Amino acid sequence: MQSEVVARDEKKPNGTGTIDAVSLAIIEQLQEDGRRPYAAIGKAVGLSEAAVRQRVQKLQDQGVMQIVAVTDPLTVGLLRQAMVGINVDGDLEPVAEALAELTEVDYVVVTAGSFDLLVEIVCEDDEHLLEMINKRIRTLPGVRSTESFVYLKLRKQTYTWGTRSP
């Protein structure tokens, strides 16, 4: 299990806001080690422990970042991952909301292109994946079609995009 900090900037529509350099440096420190002590972060970024604690809390309260434990699905018995492209008849929002409520769904993305929605699902095995697609996703009102992309091997998964320069 590794600890990750997922950062997103929600100060302006479409994530076009800015975060000051000190907050970015704090986020980078936490992305390296989400359990790094505030005192060590303060030393690295030039702030007191209390100031770092306040900034981290503010970043979390504003929805700019989360500090979460990220597990390797395989090591916790979730042997099948897939991306599912979904086409919807009518309003996307009710379908997206219903998908977001499913425990097995990691994220839901409204897209432009061949699919209306993309969802990543993590399942115990192929039988569980089949049940998810056939009985839980395809039966949602408004779902017209699905196309599944089963993960054979995950080559890269990082969460450092939150602080990289454009």
Side-chain angles (χ1 to χ4, degrees):
M1 177 179 76
Q2 60 183 356
S3 179
E4 295 283 347
V5 175
V6 181
R8 63 183 189 276
D9 192 341
E10 294 184 351
K11 292 183 179 183
K12 294 183 183 176
N14 300 322
T16 59
T18 58
I19 299 174
D20 71 26
V22 175
S23 291
L24 284 175
I26 291 170
I27 292 168
E28 287 172 353
Q29 290 285 310
L30 288 168
Q31 285 177 324
E32 288 175 14
D33 180 357
R35 298 182 308 162
R36 183 165 287 155
Y38 291 148
I41 295 170
K43 187 174 183 179
V45 303
L47 293 176
S48 70
E49 178 180 349
V52 170
R53 185 181 320 281
Q54 288 175 337
R55 281 198 183 229
V56 168
Q57 188 61 54
K58 184 177 178 183
L59 290 165
Q60 289 177 304
D61 291 346
Q62 292 174 337
V64 172
M65 73 172 191
Q66 303 172 38
I67 300 173
V68 297
V70 178
T71 59
D72 175 355
L74 297 175
T75 63
V76 294
L78 299 170
L79 305 177
R80 180 58 67 212
Q81 291 178 271
M83 183 70 61
V84 181
I86 302 169
N87 285 309
V88 174
D89 287 324
D91 188 2
L92 301 175
E93 289 303 318
V95 178
E97 288 175 22
L99 291 165
E101 294 297 318
L102 299 174
T103 303
E104 295 86 350
V105 172
D106 280 347
Y107 63 84
V108 178
V109 181
V110 177
T111 67
S114 299
F115 299 105
D116 297 316
L117 301 168
L118 289 174
V119 298
E120 182 181 60
I121 55 178
V122 181
C123 299
E124 295 169 10
D125 53 28
D126 288 338
E127 188 66 31
H128 187 195
L129 176 63
L130 176 62
E131 189 254 324
M132 284 298 301
I133 294 168
N134 197 40
K135 295 193 170 41
R136 307 215 23 228
I137 294 175
R138 288 184 178 162
T139 60
L140 290 172
V143 171
R144 181 178 59 236
S145 64
T146 64
E147 185 173 346
S148 303
F149 304 90
V150 175
Y151 297 5
L152 299 177
K153 186 174 188 178
L154 187 60
R155 295 293 299 211
K156 181 179 180 179
Q157 182 174 17
T158 65
Y159 298 94
T160 57
W161 49 264
T163 59
R164 71 177 178 216
S165 298

